[in-house]
Amino acid sequence: MKPIGAVAIFWTGLALLPAVAADDAHEWRDVDPNNLVLIDTRYGEVAVELAPQFGPTHVERMRALTRAHFYDGLSFYRVIDGFVAQGGLGEGTASTKDHPKEAAALKRWPALKAEFERLATPDLKFTPLGNPDLFAPEAGHVNGFAAGRDMKQGRLWMIHCPGTFAFARDNGADTATTEFYIVIGEAPRRLDRNLTAFGRVIDGLQYVQKLQRGDQNIDNGVIQDSRRRDPILRIRLAADLPEKQRPHFQVMQTDSAAFAKEKAKRKNPAPEFYVRTPPPVLDVCGVPVPVRRVR
Amino acid sequence: MKPIGAVAIFWTGLALLPAVAADDAHEWRDVDPNNLVLIDTRYGEVAVELAPQFGPTHVERMRALTRAHFYDGLSFYRVIDGFVAQGGLGEGTASTKDHPKEAAALKRWPALKAEFERLATPDLKFTPLGNPDLFAPEAGHVNGFAAGRDMKQGRLWMIHCPGTFAFARDNGADTATTEFYIVIGEAPRRLDRNLTAFGRVIDGLQYVQKLQRGDQNIDNGVIQDSRRRDPILRIRLAADLPEKQRPHFQVMQTDSAAFAKEKAKRKNPAPEFYVRTPPPVLDVCGVPVPVRRVR
């Protein structure tokens, strides 16, 4: 047994961040503080990048809710292991009755028109993954987000992967108002084009994983005892913080050579470890888009 | 907005446990206490069902390690969010030096011959998923475990899904000894047929999700400060407990009509909610095999 022991297992199985080279600026982009939502949980800060290209009115709503301090003091009231962590008011659930004032204030936030998908316009650079997908005619990335595309229909949408940020809704398509969810399990692709996904967690998903779970057989996962729900301490938009207090993140450009290299590395992982070369395909949700915190 | 609010979202998107009918006994099987490993973490108990059909000598090793109290007091020393939680001694890592006595005892546990895959013999009932898989010629289930099959080669193997339990190894195929890992993120299918997967978490995966993470850019995710590692309080085999203290679980038979119904329900979820009927395909790792605790 070599001293490195079993830890050698995944050396290159992971998409480790490449060493930061001085001249790689064109392969990364800065996350716009107007699109950076910071969710404070008792476990740590969760950073979400919003994607106006996928859900412009939902992004606007999220900014407005944040600025109104709507979420501060509410909770992750419905958390189902392997599926989603849902936060906000929880209308019509055991959560609402604990917040009558907020429930009454809901009329300030009328239902939004669905943004499940959009036109595949040429301004959105879609980089195909390069292999088939089980669920979409084409899978790939747009500006750091996993996306599906159907060129026959000329449509494009955000794919539900672990970390995807979206708004919950009622049975009708145009019924989302304030409740959000974050995917915490194996990609629930059946939700694609059925809900408005408009962001993703770029840092701190591990804190979402620590949230108190509900029992999916009781009230569809809503945690009945409000004292057991983990609070949303506060949600802020980075743009609203003094410049010096904002975290700064960069996301690897998904149409860059650097990202193509990441994908190639995952398709052809370390031959010294992989006794059998894995099939040369990727799950679009199994390819982490690299993120780095600049400060 | 209907009072049920956004919670209606996932009503039937989940594979909820079917109501327990008096006459469904033939659709469930009892988990053998000889295959039931109980991992105590500070967050709760994690139950793992071992699969001797996939890794007989690894299962034997796991039972022996457990009976020798090998793991008790060791830690989850390498935890990478979205990938795996690895536990045990951590040979050749920052973990080993904290446990010189255990490291010395390692010679009791010689390296195992790999059991990455096996013959697809007729005694193993393989139930095909019913749609293509990205990584395997065929995907389906064997006795409650997600499995891949290649009938041209006559081979069958356990698929790496969230919750999969496996042994870590060094670069050589036949180098696993004592360290285990549990998958906690999007199915890392590149590991299929490259490591010996021989069980899965049937209860308490949410506690594994709470484990302290390492930084994958430092020592490949090994948590450097031993005080920050979450301990493995103890690991026991249910068969070693007095009958009355054992938890009893049942797993839905994956070759039953009930499981076929579960899969059909996921493929055709609630039309009142799904504005767009999802593609009628399943990700083999996105189909939870139902488990119930009898007592």
Side-chain angles (χ1 to χ4, degrees), chain A residues 1-3 6-7 9-10 13 78 91-93 168-170 175 177 186-187 190 194 210 220 273 275-276 279 283, chain B residues 1-3 6-7 9-10 13 78 92-93 135 168-170 175 177 186-187 190 194 210 273 275-276 279 283:
Chain A
M1 176 78 79
K2 290 171 200 158
V7 168
I9 293 185
F10 308 111
R78 175 177 181 249
E91 302 165 60
T93 74
R169 65 165 169 85
D170 197 353
T175 55
T177 61
E186 184 80 359
R190 64 193 178 282
N194 271 300
K210 285 177 187 276
N220 203 18
F273 177 75
V275 175
R276 169 185 297 274
D283 163 11
Chain B
M1 176 77 83
K2 291 171 200 156
V7 168
I9 292 186
F10 308 112
R78 176 179 181 247
T93 73
F135 299 88
R169 65 165 170 85
D170 197 351
T175 56
T177 61
E186 185 80 1
R190 65 193 177 283
N194 272 298
K210 286 178 186 276
F273 178 74
V275 174
R276 168 184 298 274
D283 163 10

Side-chain angles (χ1 to χ4, degrees), chain B residues 40-114:
Chain B
D40 283 0
T41 73
R42 66 170 91 191
Y43 308 108
E45 185 180 84
V46 180
V48 174
E49 182 179 21
L50 303 177
Q53 310 97 318
F54 288 91
T57 66
H58 283 71
V59 165
E60 272 308 322
R61 170 64 57 90
M62 190 65 203
R63 289 183 190 132
L65 285 162
T66 297
R67 285 180 168 143
H69 303 285
F70 177 82
Y71 295 110
D72 303 359
L74 296 180
S75 69
F76 293 94
Y77 63 89
R78 176 179 181 247
V79 185
I80 297 177
D81 192 62
F83 188 35
V84 297
Q86 192 164 326
L89 190 56
E91 303 165 60
T93 73
S95 169
T96 321
K97 66 173 167 31
D98 305 323
H99 301 282
K101 205 177 62 180
E102 289 77 3
L106 265 184
K107 53 174 102 53
R108 279 187 61 191
W109 310 104
L112 296 166
K113 237 182 131 37

Side-chain angles (χ1 to χ4, degrees), chain B residues 61-247:
Chain B
R61 170 64 57 90
M62 190 65 203
R63 289 183 190 132
L65 285 162
T66 297
R67 285 180 168 143
H69 303 285
F70 177 82
Y71 295 110
D72 303 359
L74 296 180
S75 69
F76 293 94
Y77 63 89
R78 176 179 181 247
V79 185
I80 297 177
D81 192 62
F83 188 35
V84 297
Q86 192 164 326
L89 190 56
E91 303 165 60
T93 73
S95 169
T96 321
K97 66 173 167 31
D98 305 323
H99 301 282
K101 205 177 62 180
E102 289 77 3
L106 265 184
K107 53 174 102 53
R108 279 187 61 191
W109 310 104
L112 296 166
K113 237 182 131 37
E115 296 172 311
F116 299 158
E117 54 180 38
R118 53 159 290 161
L119 281 175
T121 48
D123 58 302
L124 278 193
K125 177 87 182 285
F126 178 91
T127 306
L129 186 63
N131 58 252
D133 179 78
L134 273 182
F135 299 88
E138 278 185 289
H141 293 84
V142 171
N143 204 29
F145 297 90
R149 189 168 76 164
D150 184 336
M151 281 311 276
K152 274 190 206 158
Q153 300 180 356
R155 310 302 287 178
L156 186 127
W157 57 91
M158 189 178 291
I159 285 175
H160 279 80
C161 292
T164 293
F165 184 90
F167 258 16
R169 65 165 170 85
D170 197 351
N171 274 346
D174 305 324
T175 56
T177 61
T178 64
E179 288 151 273
F180 67 86
Y181 63 91
I182 296 170
V183 174
I184 57 171
E186 185 80 1
R189 298 288 305 273
R190 65 193 177 283
L191 303 181
D192 293 354
R193 310 176 86 179
N194 272 298
L195 286 122
T196 302
F198 62 103
R200 75 167 181 119
V201 173
I202 56 172
D203 194 48
L205 190 56
Q206 68 197 77
Y207 305 127
V208 184
Q209 292 290 7
K210 286 178 186 276
L211 296 173
Q212 173 67 40
R213 272 38 170 189
D215 178 342
Q216 69 175 84
N217 293 310
I218 297 174
D219 195 8
N220 203 21
V222 173
I223 302 165
Q224 302 297 297
D225 181 349
S226 61
R227 291 162 305 182
R228 296 188 68 230
R229 289 178 211 137
D230 272 315
I232 298 170
L233 299 177
R234 62 177 174 183
I235 300 189
R236 295 174 298 169
L237 193 69
D240 294 341
L241 300 182
E243 216 288 336
K244 284 193 172 169
Q245 288 175 29
R246 297 177 194 162

